[in-house]
Amino acid sequence: MHKKGITCLAGRMVSDTIAIFASTSSDGIVVIWEMVIEPTPGGSCKVSCLHTLSVGSKPMVSLSLAVLPEQRSHLILAMGGLDHKIHIYCGDKSGKFIKACELKGHSDWIRSLDFSLPVAISSEKHNLFLVSSSQDRTIRIWKMDSEAISSGSTAQLRKANIEMTSYIEGPLFVAGSTSYQVSLESLLVGHEDWVYSVEWQPPTVLPGNEAHQAMSILSASMDKMMMIWRPEKNTGLWINSVTVGELSHSALGFYGGHWQPDGKSILAHDYGGSFHMWRDVGLDSENWQPQIVPSGHFAPVSDLTWARSGQYLLSVSHDQTTRIFAPWRNQVNPGDMIYWREIARPQIHGHDINCVAFIQGSGNHRFVSGADEKVSRVFEAPLSFLKTLQQATLLKPDISDDFDNVQVLGANMSALGLSQKPIYTHGVKESPSSNSSDGPDSMETIPDAVPTVFTEPPVEDQLAWNTLWPESHKLYGHGNELFSICCDYEGKLVASSCKAQSAPVAEICLWEVGTWKAVGHLQSHNLTVTQMEFSRDNAFLLSVSRDRHLSIFSVRKTKEGVEHHLVAKHEAHKRIIWSCSWNPFGYQFATGSRDKTVKIWCVQDASSVKLLATLPQFRDSVTALAWMGHDRASNAGILAVGMDNGLIELWSVSGGRASAGSTTDSSPLIAASMLQFDPLLCHVSTVHRLRWRQQDSSDEKSTLELASCGADHCVRVFDVHCRT
């Protein structure tokens, strides 16, 4: 029925099997619907349109629907939007609604409306309350007082005096045999920015199946605060009894707030898509404390990588954050379930982040990331993270028996949101420079981070401020935004590429880990290098590009520096090549392209590339590849293929062994489809990266872990059980 985006839905059950609900859209139309539900298990649900209301050029943003007290067969619909007014419509269960009155008072857009259940003020009389919030930063509570009409003359008298009554008390409207007087119960002022959401506390069910409406309202605002409002016991004045909030690097706050049905927890969601939950854990008095909630990226996830130990997963996104996810084992869950949690947010940046590589080899945990800027940035794990990781995984750290060599405790965010400055262990006792700790950050001050060793998963506020990694180096050399990055398996070299439309800009830069000096510039491609990967023995660097070519470089680290030369360049596909992956057991590699094909190649004589096989054409563009070795003796492995439509497939590849210096294959290459993932398990948009978790020699080979990320904002980790 609607021609533009839906902005609000509101509904009520009018019987055990029938619901009436309304929808509004930016097309200026409000539609009334009826939903009939068959009571039998698995019964069908029928939805039909009952009525359409046109509200003109200024569309409605919010709706609320309720059953009128004293007139159970009549419904009341409140709608508010861009004209700063609340429009009240009355109707019956047939869906025919007629405009009853308008409520004026707000001076900006109406953002949220919510009716209470009828509240018994006296033993016989029930009143209906409507709460409204606006971009004028205020909340208004409206009371609808019902009064029975004794005769037609009384009704005429009421209508004659409606003008004066509206001026003093508020408008009057009639529904059925009852008149309703609307008055402003209270004006609530406390938020410092737009109030996006208001909601009455859900009613409690009393004995006899009677519902009791608690006089409590939850509001959520762009000032990063949620408040609970209640009438004061002695005076009846509405006051703010609870205030909770979050610090955030974003200038935007909460878009909405919601009660748990029992009223013991409140949930907010913000601009970044993240949830913020507080629960009342007090015994004698209220004590609202933040709770653990699921988290994730809120924009396309562009790249991910496993830590060298495989203990955790590092992902980067266009939401300008780098996040670390790990199984939190230091927690007893029902059924011995191990939940993956976000345990750190090492980088919060001012540009979209496109690529990341974990530094292999020994030493502290480090990674390099590239964003929509010309600089690569190197980050090193602080002491607080290393101890938190130990708490989470219950494993001994892989860097040393102690942490004496790590002198950095955490990091602070700079004012511009680009560099992250270290906090040293010997400086933690210094008094923080920020003197305002009572409220959210202002534009002038940024609170100091408090690096913490977490014994339970951190909540959103802690992740955003206290889990940053210090930036140790910047790598300058590219002329455009960074696009791809990789590290060799010894942790000695990092290769990076940027967006390019000419050969000089499309060069690959080689950086020496430690000194972080540019030690090589590899030129072969004419357009953006989309992905790179070192062979497992670090002898070759494979790169693929938008120019449809693949290139093999020989790279050798020497005492003087790095020796490198182009071994082979080949036009491999008919369209852009998005991905590539080496066979861990040799010099075979796979390439995937927009032409919907995957080709398997091998390096021969250390001077040429030979095509071994082309897999049957896939259903969509191939955007991600990851090759996992399974059996070295038979050169058997598993090739994971991710596509533009979000689907993932596994292929078995074996035989065709070839190595540099050999001219013959020991056996023909055999490739066969093993598994097509259930679409419900896959992404719903482009798969950007696939990564196998490297197996330790002590790990059993029967279960593998595959991580994926995509344009649908998701990071997924799959258990792959191999049957012999």
Side-chain angles (χ1 to χ4, degrees):
M1 296 293 292
H2 292 291
K3 297 178 181 178
K4 293 184 179 179
I6 311 295
T7 54
C8 187
L9 291 167
R12 282 291 164 101
M13 295 294 294
V14 295
S15 72
D16 291 340
T17 59
I18 298 176
I20 302 291
F21 68 96
S23 62
T24 183
S25 165
S26 49
D27 61 6
I29 300 294
V30 176
V31 181
I32 313 298
W33 308 82
E34 179 186 59
M35 182 168 64
V36 181
I37 307 162
E38 290 187 5
T40 57
S44 62
C45 170
K46 298 178 181 178
V47 179
S48 56
C49 173
L50 298 180
H51 191 48
T52 300
L53 302 170
S54 178
V55 296
S57 60
K58 294 186 176 180
M60 297 295 116
V61 176
S62 56
L63 301 172
S64 187
L65 190 66
V67 178
L68 279 169
E70 316 299 341
Q71 292 285 329
R72 306 299 295 176
S73 61
H74 284 73
L75 300 172
I76 181 170
L77 173 66
M79 57 179 77
L82 277 58
D83 62 358
H84 311 172
K85 303 174 186 176
I86 301 171
H87 304 266
I88 302 296
Y89 284 75
C90 288
D92 53 26
K93 295 179 182 179
S94 67
K96 302 295 182 183
F97 279 80
I98 301 172
K99 189 168 183 177
C101 64
E102 292 179 353
L103 307 181
K104 301 177 182 178
H106 286 293
S107 58
D108 209 331
W109 291 8
I110 312 294
R111 276 295 176 180
S112 182
L113 296 166
D114 192 31
F115 276 113
S116 69
L117 286 184
V119 178
I121 302 298
S122 62
S123 57
E124 299 178 355
K125 204 171 180 183
H126 286 77
N127 293 317
L128 193 66
F129 288 89
L130 171 69
V131 61
S132 62
S133 70
S134 167
Q135 290 181 185
D136 64 10
R137 307 180 182 185
T138 66
I139 301 166
R140 290 174 181 260
I141 304 173
W142 311 85
K143 184 172 76 170
M144 299 180 183
D145 193 0
S146 60
E147 184 176 332
I149 299 175
S150 56
S151 65
S153 59
T154 308
Q156 294 296 327
L157 180 65
R158 283 276 188 177
K159 288 181 179 178
N161 296 333
I162 194 167
E163 186 176 350
M164 181 62 70
T165 308
S166 300
Y167 182 76
I168 299 172
E169 295 180 306
L172 179 83
F173 65 91
V174 177
S177 59
T178 307
S179 66
Y180 295 88
Q181 174 71 57
V182 184
S183 59
L184 180 64
E185 170 76 5
S186 186
L187 172 64
L188 310 182
V189 180
H191 286 292
E192 298 177 357
D193 210 332
W194 297 356
V195 186
Y196 255 88
S197 166
V198 282
E199 187 177 282
W200 288 94
Q201 182 175 335
T204 54
V205 180
L206 302 176
N209 208 24
E210 183 181 352
H212 170 69
Q213 174 68 63
M215 298 300 284
S216 186
I217 294 171
L218 175 68
S219 63
S221 167
M222 270 290 155
D223 62 6
K224 307 172 191 173
M225 294 288 185
M226 282 207 301
M227 295 181 179
I228 297 177
W229 306 82
R230 299 188 181 105
E232 208 266 329
K233 289 183 180 178
N234 298 325
T235 63
L237 295 175
W238 284 79
I239 60 171
N240 166 25
S241 61
V242 176
T243 301
V244 295
E246 289 281 14
L247 297 173
S248 171
H249 293 289
S250 168
L252 300 176
F254 295 150
Y255 276 134
H258 194 57
W259 291 94
Q260 188 177 359
D262 64 2
K264 293 293 185 181
S265 296
I266 53 178
L267 182 75
H269 64 94
D270 67 11
Y271 166 77
S274 57
F275 290 124
H276 308 256
M277 187 169 77
W278 291 266
R279 185 165 181 82
D280 181 12
V281 297
L283 298 176
D284 300 328
S285 60
E286 285 187 296
N287 180 15
W288 292 84
Q289 293 296 322
Q291 303 295 305
I292 300 167
V293 290
S295 66
H297 291 284
F298 62 92
V301 187
S302 46
D303 201 359
L304 57 75
T305 182
W306 289 95
R308 61 172 181 237
S309 58
Q311 292 179 343
Y312 59 87
L313 195 59
L314 188 76
S315 60
V316 297
S317 166
H318 291 172
D319 66 9
Q320 304 184 351
T321 66
T322 300
R323 304 183 189 226
I324 289 179
F325 300 93
W328 194 277
R329 303 180 190 276
N330 188 16
Q331 193 175 18
V332 179
N333 299 309
D336 295 328
M337 286 287 293
I338 296 176
Y339 295 130
W340 283 70
R341 303 286 190 188
E342 184 181 351
I343 64 170
R345 205 166 291 173
Q347 183 184 9
I348 298 177
H349 203 37
H351 298 286
D352 295 359
I353 308 175
N354 298 323
C355 51
V356 67
F358 203 90
I359 306 300
Q360 305 299 318
S362 58
N364 196 4
H365 298 220
R366 293 173 294 177
F367 71 87
V368 188
S369 68
D372 277 347
E373 55 179 347
K374 303 174 184 179
V375 185
S376 303
R377 298 175 186 267
V378 184
F379 296 86
E380 186 165 339
L383 188 61
S384 58
F385 170 78
L386 297 173
K387 292 185 175 180
T388 298
L389 182 65
Q390 192 174 3
Q391 290 281 345
T393 61
L394 299 179
L395 297 174
K396 187 177 179 180
D398 63 349
I399 63 168
S400 63
D401 292 334
D402 55 45
F403 304 110
D404 293 343
N405 295 328
V406 181
Q407 299 297 319
V408 178
L409 188 62
N412 267 322
M413 173 60 68
S414 69
L416 294 178
L418 294 176
S419 297
Q420 293 168 196
K421 300 177 181 179
I423 301 173
Y424 292 99
T425 52
H426 54 74
V428 292
K429 294 184 180 178
E430 296 177 5
S431 59
S433 57
S434 173
N435 18 355
S436 72
S437 57
D438 316 342
D441 55 309
S442 66
M443 293 298 288
E444 293 80 17
T445 62
I446 295 180
D448 284 340
V450 184
T452 308
V453 179
F454 296 104
T455 55
E456 60 181 16
V459 297
E460 179 69 25
D461 191 23
Q462 296 165 332
L463 286 167
W465 286 99
N466 301 331
T467 63
L468 294 171
W469 288 21
E471 181 183 308
S472 60
H473 292 86
K474 296 182 180 71
L475 310 182
Y476 297 92
H478 287 291
N480 284 329
E481 299 92 337
L482 270 293
F483 195 84
S484 177
I485 203 162
C486 72
C487 179
D488 71 355
Y489 290 91
E490 291 181 347
K492 294 182 179 179
L493 291 174
V494 168
S496 61
S497 70
C498 70
K499 296 178 182 178
Q501 292 184 334
S502 63
V505 183
E507 69 179 9
I508 298 169
C509 291
L510 290 180
W511 310 88
E512 184 179 43
V513 174
T515 65
W516 298 110
K517 294 180 180 178
V519 292
H521 297 274
L522 314 182
Q523 293 188 343
S524 172
H525 297 286
N526 298 317
L527 296 174
T528 305
V529 175
T530 54
Q531 194 172 333
M532 301 172 291
E533 189 174 304
F534 283 92
S535 62
R536 193 54 58 96
D537 63 358
N538 301 317
F540 297 107
L541 174 65
L542 166 65
S543 63
V544 293
S545 167
R546 287 180 177 270
D547 63 10
R548 309 174 187 180
H549 286 73
L550 65 85
S551 296
I552 301 287
F553 299 91
S554 172
V555 179
R556 190 165 68 91
K557 188 88 165 57
T558 64
K559 293 181 180 179
E560 292 76 23
V562 175
E563 294 180 357
H564 56 83
H565 67 272
L566 180 64
V567 172
K569 180 179 179 181
H570 190 78
E571 185 172 359
H573 290 268
K574 297 177 181 178
R575 303 289 298 277
I576 293 172
I577 309 175
W578 284 124
S579 56
C580 62
S581 185
W582 284 96
N583 177 2
F585 297 147
Y587 295 130
Q588 297 168 330
F589 60 89
T591 57
S593 166
R594 184 180 279 176
D595 63 11
K596 305 181 183 180
T597 63
V598 171
K599 296 183 179 182
I600 299 176
W601 314 75
C602 70
V603 180
Q604 286 192 322
D605 300 329
S607 61
S608 63
V609 169
K610 177 184 177 183
L611 177 64
L612 296 180
T614 301
L615 301 189
Q617 192 169 42
F618 290 85
R619 286 173 283 180
D620 210 335
S621 303
V622 176
T623 54
L625 292 172
W627 198 327
M628 180 68 178
H630 191 51
D631 181 20
R632 184 178 292 273
S634 60
N635 196 32
I638 302 172
L639 182 64
V641 181
M643 288 171 275
D644 203 27
N645 56 12
L647 299 182
I648 299 172
E649 296 185 10
L650 297 184
W651 285 70
S652 170
V653 182
S654 61
R657 183 186 297 277
S659 59
S662 68
T663 57
T664 60
D665 295 338
S666 59
S667 60
L669 183 83
I670 300 173
S673 176
M674 289 177 63
L675 177 67
Q676 295 181 353
F677 284 24
D678 186 335
L680 294 177
L681 295 177
C682 295
H683 298 272
V684 295
S685 189
T686 308
V687 180
H688 282 155
R689 178 70 93 165
L690 295 169
R691 295 271 198 181
W692 292 100
R693 178 177 177 265
Q694 295 301 318
Q695 299 288 321
D696 296 332
S697 56
S698 59
D699 288 351
E700 294 185 4
K701 299 291 185 179
S702 57
T703 302
L704 306 172
E705 288 184 4
L706 175 66
S708 68
C709 66
D712 60 356
H713 311 181
C714 282
V715 174
R716 297 174 182 266
V717 181
F718 301 95
D719 274 341
V720 179
H721 300 275
C722 299
R723 298 174 182 175
T724 56

